[in-house]
Amino acid sequence: MPLAETHAIEQEPSATVRGMVVPGGFAVSESLLSSLPNLEVISVFGVGYDGVPIALCQQRGIRVTNTPDVLTEDVADIATALVLMTSRRLAEAEKFIRAGSWTSGAFPLAHALRGKTAGIVGLGRIGKAIAYRLTAHGLTIAYFGRQQQVVAYDYCDSLCGLAKKADFLIVACPGGSGTKHLINAKVLSALGSDGILINIARGSVVDEVALIAALKTGEIRGAGLDVFENEPQVPVELIDSEKVVILPHVGSATHETRQAMAQLVRDNLAAHFANQPLVTPVC
Ligand code: 8YV
């Protein structure tokens, strides 16, 4: 049953609001929370809840939920697509044929995937789904994260160590203050002139100024990006660069997945208001 049939839906903050739905990554400010004195639950429409001040919510007894699992496969597909698009230069190849250039000569050669190494930053659910896909493409998988896991992939205990090993450095970790600008000039330099950075996580994890500089100087070969520091604003240097494939944050953007995310948002709210355990609680 649609939530609107059982609950009043408000578009603006008010004292009557008891539950709030926000997109993944949406910054829930302290002032927004203060304008909602009776808020009981925040249901994040996304797996990433980096925009929600969890400690403050815990202090106020506000429950937080998100939508894990249902979007894992779609996001991993987009990471794989970006690996293919950057290495095989697919966006450029498409532009080439549309520009009528094929009749004047063949498109330049690109780079194969097999035998290359993917370094995954954050081997969580999405990171593992990416590893699974890239293994099928013949890549070796290495990863960096808070701790070593019981998996058949190589663990690197330093991010620069992983970047050095990787042909593709793939960012799949959560956003937030703990990972802000984790991918900095030093990491990009370790990735090296044949390396490609892929980001399907949060724009905040990558220092965009350092990335633009590394692309300009050829310190890295390219980047495939679905997320940006200041969405929907994308720096003109990235838009104009032939070395970059950019997508407008479409990781979870399929009918099937958005439907499943919406259902989970509703189920969590319904569970809360029925005094039942939350389906996918964060806190
Ligand atoms: C967004 C996302 O939720 O899951 C996340 O954390 O960033 C996306 O799936 C989506 O853009 C809808 O807000």
Side-chain angles (χ1 to χ4, degrees):
M1 185 189 298
L3 216 60
E5 286 182 18
T6 49
H7 294 79
I9 307 291
E10 303 273 354
Q11 303 292 342
E12 298 297 329
S14 86
T16 57
V17 170
R18 294 169 60 205
M20 176 164 72
V21 180
V22 296
F26 178 84
V28 176
S29 62
E30 283 189 31
S31 69
L32 174 58
L33 284 186
S34 340
S35 66
L36 300 165
N38 294 307
L39 189 67
E40 296 167 21
V41 59
I42 300 175
S43 194
V44 178
F45 182 77
V47 66
Y49 51 87
D50 44 299
V52 181
I54 297 296
L56 184 56
C57 288
Q58 281 170 327
Q59 266 171 36
R60 270 191 49 184
I62 299 169
R63 309 293 313 273
V64 179
T65 73
N66 66 341
T67 63
D69 298 320
V70 293
L71 47 64
T72 299
E73 309 298 329
D74 274 2
V75 178
D77 285 346
I78 287 295
T80 308
L82 285 171
V83 167
L84 280 161
M85 288 178 80
T86 48
S87 57
R88 300 298 302 270
R89 303 175 63 176
L90 298 181
E92 284 175 80
E94 209 213 19
K95 257 192 219 151
F96 176 86
I97 193 167
R98 284 188 199 280
S101 307
W102 198 8
T103 47
S104 316
F107 184 72
L109 300 182
H111 291 273
L113 289 188
R114 66 183 177 284
K116 303 285 165 33
T117 297
I120 300 183
V121 182
L123 196 72
R125 286 172 279 222
I126 293 173
K128 286 193 177 94
I130 296 169
Y132 173 79
R133 283 158 174 74
L134 294 183
T135 302
H137 284 275
L139 282 93
T140 298
I141 309 294
Y143 69 101
F144 166 79
R146 273 171 304 193
Q147 60 200 27
Q148 185 162 10
Q149 303 185 40
V150 188
V151 287
Y153 310 130
D154 290 343
Y155 177 64
C156 286
D157 60 9
S158 99
L159 184 49
C160 279
L162 181 76
K164 251 187 209 134
K165 253 191 197 182
D167 299 289
F168 299 91
L169 188 66
I170 304 178
V171 183
C173 61
S177 55
T179 57
K180 189 168 162 63
H181 289 184
L182 196 62
I183 308 298
N184 55 24
K186 218 168 128 200
V187 175
L188 293 169
S189 161
L191 180 57
S193 57
D194 284 330
I196 290 178
L197 179 77
I198 304 288
N199 189 5
I200 48 78
R202 279 286 180 266
S204 60
V205 184
V206 175
D207 178 345
E208 241 164 38
V209 172
L211 172 62
I212 290 165
L215 287 162
K216 241 185 220 157
T217 57
E219 202 152 23
I220 66 168
R221 190 202 294 149
L225 309 168
D226 186 41
V227 288
F228 303 88
E229 274 201 88
N230 188 26
E231 295 175 14
Q233 307 305 324
V234 177
V236 68
E237 293 90 337
L238 295 179
I239 290 185
D240 286 349
S241 174
E242 293 263 295
K243 298 175 178 176
V244 183
V245 174
I246 46 174
L247 300 177
H249 199 149
V250 291
S252 68
T254 64
H255 292 288
E256 295 84 350
T257 291
R258 287 288 166 85
Q259 183 64 41
M261 289 163 70
Q263 188 62 50
L264 205 39
V265 162
R266 277 196 293 268
D267 290 349
N268 273 303
L269 289 174
H272 172 79
F273 290 120
N275 286 321
Q276 297 294 316
L278 298 173
V279 187
T280 46
V282 172
C283 73

